[in-house]
Every structure is written in C-alpha cells, then in structure tokens.
C-alpha cells in the first residue's frame, strides 16, 4: 500500500508570492491533516478535513487555507508569503474514527521563503 | 501553543543503554501517542495509549500514562544507533487534531 505522498518536496519562493502544496493520503483514508513544523514553534496544527469538510482549524492567519477533494486528496495554500512561513509542512492521513487514532505522515514539503 | 512539554530536550546515551523521556500535558485527553522523526523527515507512529490504560508495550518500547498527573513516559530499552531521532508525544482531546510536544532529541553513541 502506498504511503502518504506530498508534492513538491522542496520549494523556494519569495515574499509576497503564494504557494500550493498537495497531499495524497493512503488509499481508504478519509481524514487528512496538515501541520507546520519550525525550529521555533515546533509542530503546529493547521487544519483537518474529512469528506471535503474542514472539521478543525488551527490558530493561523487567513493567508493559510486548504481544501479536500472528493477522492480525499488535499491541498493547502499560503498566500502573500512571509519569511516566517519558511517551514516543513507535513500532511497526515488516518482512518476516520470518533477520535484521532494513528496518523500516517508524508515526508513533508520544505518551503523556503526568501 | 503546544499542549505538551517534554523532558529532557536532549538525551545522549551509549548503545545498549535505556532511554527514558517524559511528557506532560494540560487538558483531558482521549489518548496519547508517541512519534519518531528522523532528521527533518516525516513522523512515524510508535505507540498509542488510551486514557483508560496505564501501561503499554511494543517491542523495545514501554509507555506509561498517569492521567491524574497528566504525564506520560516513553522508555526505549537496549538502544541502537538506529534509535537516534527526535521523539514527540502528542495528545488527542477529541477535537480532530493532535497537539504535539516540543520533542526530545535522542542520540545513541556507538
């Protein structure tokens, strides 16, 4: 079974630009979550989607948005990039349950903002 | 802000020794999980312990949970060089997300 796939793996952008990151969950997994990891703030929750519905959102500005498609694939978008958005963005999928079980993480998309 | 605090921040041990790290959290939880991350890669799930469980084993891993103290510990026995990684605790408060601690960086010396 293929794991969680994130694309692109690495990207460099300049301040003010926007970026779209993509995540393909494990087949059969309907829940997709996104996390931002930085040396200063650690792992911070961005959002969680199930069946195209956002069920929870972290404490990030409106420049951060996401969506999930009917095939469970997900994208996140960051507009008007700032230097502080440089981070490893991790996507994770799981089998939907009433509580959060084991998350399966992708290798991440490493974003550098210059 | 993060839910969990981990202790110690870093740990260096000799191969074959045991490694113990602790996690404290603030709110009521459904379950607590431990993950490993190798050098900026994705996280790998190690073990999940539910709020009504006190101890769980998986191979060389032993996890304890004390909900009265809101704390958990992860013990890795007979450590190997391949155990060199960062370890994170994460709590589920039944809100469709995990809240991660800051992590413990473990270095296993040959």
């Amino acid at each position: 079974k293929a794991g969680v796939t994130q694309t692109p793996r690495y990207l460099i952008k300049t301040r003010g630009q926007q970026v779209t990151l993509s995540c393909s969950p494990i087949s059969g997994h309907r829940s997709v979550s996104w996390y931002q990891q930085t040396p200063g703030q650690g792992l911070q929750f961005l959002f969680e989607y199930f069946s195209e519905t956002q069920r929870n959102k972290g404490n990030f500005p409106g420049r951060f948005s996401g969506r999930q498609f009917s095939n469970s694939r997900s994208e996140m978008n960051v507009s008007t990039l700032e230097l502080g958005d440089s981070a490893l963005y991790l996507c994770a999928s799981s089998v939907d349950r009433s509580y959060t079980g084991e998350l399966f993480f992708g290798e991440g998309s490493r974003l550098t903002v210059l | 802000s993060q839910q969990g605090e981990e202790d110690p921040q870093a740990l260096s041990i000799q191969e074959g020794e045991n490694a113990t790290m602790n996690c404290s959290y603030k709110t009521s939880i459904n379950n607590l999980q431990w993950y490993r991350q190798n050098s900026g890669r994705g996280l790998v799930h190690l073990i999940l312990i539910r709020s009504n469980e006190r101890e769980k084993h998986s191979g060389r891993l032993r996890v304890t949970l004390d909900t009265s103290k809101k704390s958990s510990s992860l013990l890795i026995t007979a450590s190997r060089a391949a155990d060199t990684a960062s370890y994170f605790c994460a709590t589920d408060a039944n809100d469709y997300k995990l809240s991660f601690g800051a992590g413990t960086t473990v270095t296993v010396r040959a």
Side-chain angles (χ1 to χ4, degrees):
Chain A
K1 206 177 216 185
V4 176
T5 304
Q6 290 189 246
T7 56
R9 290 289 315 281
Y10 302 91
L11 64 168
I12 300 173
K13 294 285 187 178
T14 56
R15 278 181 299 175
Q17 287 187 312
Q18 75 164 14
V19 66
T20 299
L21 308 178
S22 180
C23 173
S24 293
I26 291 172
S27 177
H29 285 193
R30 298 187 296 176
S31 170
V32 174
S33 306
W34 289 89
Y35 292 81
Q36 180 198 63
Q37 186 176 29
T38 59
Q41 297 297 315
L43 281 150
Q44 300 287 325
F45 170 77
L46 282 158
F47 5 74
E48 191 269 357
Y49 290 91
F50 169 72
S51 287
E52 302 177 69
T53 298
Q54 185 182 87
R55 297 195 294 188
N56 199 352
K57 184 180 192 306
N59 189 24
F60 279 82
R63 301 184 297 105
F64 290 80
S65 63
R67 59 178 176 169
Q68 186 181 34
F69 302 96
S70 57
N71 61 358
S72 293
R73 192 176 68 85
S74 178
E75 287 181 349
M76 66 163 283
N77 183 277
V78 188
S79 62
T80 320
L81 284 166
E82 300 177 0
L83 295 179
D85 297 333
S86 294
L88 180 66
Y89 290 88
L90 292 162
C91 169
S93 72
S94 69
V95 174
D96 180 59
R97 301 172 187 167
S98 59
Y99 61 92
T100 303
E102 173 183 355
L103 294 187
F104 294 83
F105 282 83
E107 292 293 325
S109 292
R110 184 166 295 281
L111 170 66
T112 301
V113 182
L114 302 176
Chain B
S1 63
Q2 291 164 322
Q3 153 85 304
E5 298 289 334
E6 296 188 54
D7 171 57
Q9 288 187 329
L11 185 57
S12 180
I13 56 174
Q14 202 75 27
E15 209 165 18
E17 292 181 339
N18 295 344
T20 300
M21 58 209 85
N22 304 294
C23 168
S24 60
Y25 57 93
K26 296 172 186 169
T27 64
S28 296
I29 61 170
N30 234 335
N31 65 66
L32 185 143
Q33 302 176 36
W34 287 89
Y35 287 81
R36 183 186 73 228
Q37 184 179 38
N38 289 90
S39 194
R41 301 188 65 181
L43 280 73
V44 174
H45 181 267
L46 295 175
I47 197 164
L48 180 155
I49 186 165
R50 293 184 171 80
S51 59
N52 61 354
E53 297 175 310
R54 292 297 166 257
E55 187 171 313
K56 203 160 181 182
H57 296 255
S58 176
R60 293 183 298 112
L61 305 179
R62 173 180 169 256
V63 168
T64 63
L65 178 64
D66 187 335
T67 53
S68 67
K69 295 181 179 177
K70 291 188 168 59
S71 67
S72 173
S73 68
L74 171 67
L75 167 68
I76 305 173
T77 60
S79 62
R80 306 166 181 169
D83 296 328
T84 293
S86 292
Y87 292 82
F88 296 89
C89 68
T91 54
D92 163 40
N94 204 24
D95 53 357
Y96 305 118
K97 73 175 187 185
L98 290 182
S99 296
F100 285 86
T104 294
T105 300
V106 175
T107 303
V108 181
R109 306 186 308 273

